[in-house]
Amino acid sequence: RDALGLERRSRRVLFDASADAMVTADAAGVIRRANAAAERLFGYGQAELVGRPVEMLMPAGVRDGHAQYRTAFAAAPHSRAMAAGLNIVGQRKDGTEVALEIRLTPHKTDSGHMVTAEIRDVTEQRRIERELLDAHRQAAESLALLETLQASAPVGFGFVDRDFRIRTVNPGLAAIQGGQPGELIGRRVADALPHLWAQIEPIYQQILDTGEPVLNVSAQGTDAGHPGQLRSWLASYYPVTVDGKVIGIGQVVVDVTDRRQADEFRAAVMQNMAEGLCVMDGDGGLILMNPAATNILGWTQDELHGKSVHAAIHFQHADGTPYPEDECELRALRVEGTEALVGEDAFTAKDGRIIPVSYSASPLVDGSPARGVVIVFRDMTEAHAERERARLELEALTWVGRIRDALDEDRLVLYSQPIVPLTGGEPREELLVRMIGRNGELIPPGTFLPAAEQYGLIGDIDRWVIGQAIALAADGRTVHVNLSAQSVADRGLLASIERQLHQAGADPGNLVFELTETGLIDDINTGERFAHGLAELGCAIALDDFGTGFGSFTYLKRLPVKVLKIDIEFVRNLTTNTSDQHLVKAMVNLAQGFGQQTVAEGVEDAKALELLRGYGVDYAQGFHLGRPAPIPDTSPSRPADRS
Ligand code: C2E
Ligand code: MG
Ligand code: MG
């Protein structure tokens, strides 16, 4: 008995002191004892547990079923663990559940058969188990995904170890390298792919040496999938490390044939388009420029790359006034992402020329958040010149009407400018025509003579001037008359001059006809005939604007020229320009050699006059000596020319 008592006592001590929760129930499932750990685990006090059914420690869902287990266990009591495979769950006093592992031990006492349950809280253990399970599943998923990708992605994958033995190669890469994965795996690259080895080895070596990847190596060749077609690839090689050690090299190869073809097509279009093309990024900096743009603007893409397009080429308007960046249309486009067609704007070239342009601009949306703008522009210089020509044409046409009216209404007037002798000859004068406008304004010959020449009215003007000149000549004045090409070619003019001279009783020697190169250039033979005809009448010929054309010497040789008029171009800066001094001296020598007299045009100051006198120039004409002024006899009230 004592031995039995001792066993019971020690069991009780162990029961109470156990770190595991322990609950003893009788055959009816009524709790008889619970230790301190059980009280802690379930949150009940001893008094709350004893005498109550063990089902109170279970969640509602399993309580009913438990009675059957208990009966079955009582019929064949044996010590057993209940945890394996079963997720046993207990319920605490506060209603929360707890994962449990339970071992049941039957034993007999004075009060009958008892079962003691050792109960362990395995919540934490279960959690770890679940995580491990998840990790396994994820790893398996990753592997499965990788295998699927390797087998089916349009990308070549491969892995070689440090001995350059092929460990992994997917069908894509094998096809590019010219084989099947099965033929390659396990072999050394040098043996399996001897045709590629020379290219690949230095790359492998570099990666092992540096531990750095080698990216975007381009390669070209053919592969099994596209017989007879040249393909382009981009290959990247990565060191594969485990615990900081490079264990081999991973390789990814992408077929970029289509992309390259698209690139080449785009480049060909950009290279060959006649319009200039500039692309700027979201900040207005230049990214791209085609050869036509370089042609028009003078800037190369490299010179402007990254620089502000506005600051480089768009900083001023067509008239040279500044174009502030915050008013810039392109900036607005960039910010708002709209499209625009701008018919009239100006870009400034590298050499400072302002180039009229028209352009279209559209936003560049390339997937990145930064917006850019593509500008396609056209140099409008030619088009503007064409427009200007058309405008002048129209203006000339309106002048035709005005000139006719002026002729009809007698609104042409003659001004006279003195030609002053320097070497003792008689004073003379040049007759210069002007028009009086409808409102009484004085219109200079430069404004209406070009239109008169173009539309065949200059002959009428010349005839009118000649009539006036002959009247002045009859008065004893020596007058110079400017003649146009049309008059030179006018077959009836010589006879008309002869008749008028005769009628007026004027000395033909008082008439000097000024011919210009432009007046003679049409047909030198006609000019020659006309000039000789004038000379036969006894009139003199002066070569006007001498030295400015290309045929001066020809005319000098073939025409009976009495007077050379040295053009204002050589006289205006005479005092400061030594080249002009040489040229004027040479022209004077030349004229003297031909026995001709010289007139210097455009003498504007006393110093020039002194130089000319020194060179032996015979006559001087210019503002310094007298401005063109209305001829007092014909129109006494006209003011002197201010032009
Ligand atoms: P041109 O025959 O060479 O006439 C000389 C031009 O130089 C005149 O201009 C005259 O006013 C200007 N001039 C004279 N001295 C000076 C000077 O010191 N400084 C400057 N800067 N200019 C000076 P204008 O009168 O305007 O005539 C321009 C051109 O129109 C003439 O050049 C001539 O080719 C043409 N022209 C004028 N009258 C007639 C005409 O009756 N018939 C024809 N066919 N042409 C005429
Ligand atoms: Mg003249
Ligand atoms: Mg002249």
Side-chain angles (χ1 to χ4, degrees), residues 417-420 430 432 514 544-546 564-575 580 584 598-610 612 617 619-628 643:
Q417 184 177 30
I419 299 174
V420 177
E430 179 174 5
L432 297 160
E514 294 193 0
D544 200 357
D545 303 343
F546 186 77
L564 264 192
K565 295 194 75 176
I566 300 166
D567 193 72
I568 181 170
E569 186 183 319
F570 307 100
V571 181
R572 189 187 281 126
N573 303 314
L574 191 67
T575 50
D580 285 345
V584 171
T598 46
V599 178
E601 299 187 287
V603 180
E604 294 185 341
D605 57 77
K607 264 178 115 177
L609 183 65
E610 280 328 297
L612 293 164
V617 172
Y619 293 90
Q621 178 182 359
F623 293 169
H624 176 62
L625 298 155
R627 288 181 178 264
S643 64

Side-chain angles (χ1 to χ4, degrees), residues 430-431 449 453 458-459 461-467 469 480-490 493-494 497 511-520 530-531 534 539-542 544:
E430 179 174 5
L431 302 180
L449 287 191
E453 262 162 33
I458 187 77
I461 296 175
D462 283 351
R463 276 176 179 262
W464 178 81
V465 174
I466 290 167
H480 283 225
V481 176
N482 293 285
L483 282 188
S484 68
Q486 257 172 60
S487 297
V488 169
D490 182 348
L493 188 58
L494 279 174
I497 292 172
L511 274 187
V512 182
F513 288 98
E514 294 193 0
L515 302 178
T516 59
E517 192 163 317
T518 32
L520 292 162
F530 179 76
L534 284 178
C539 301
I541 306 288
D544 200 357

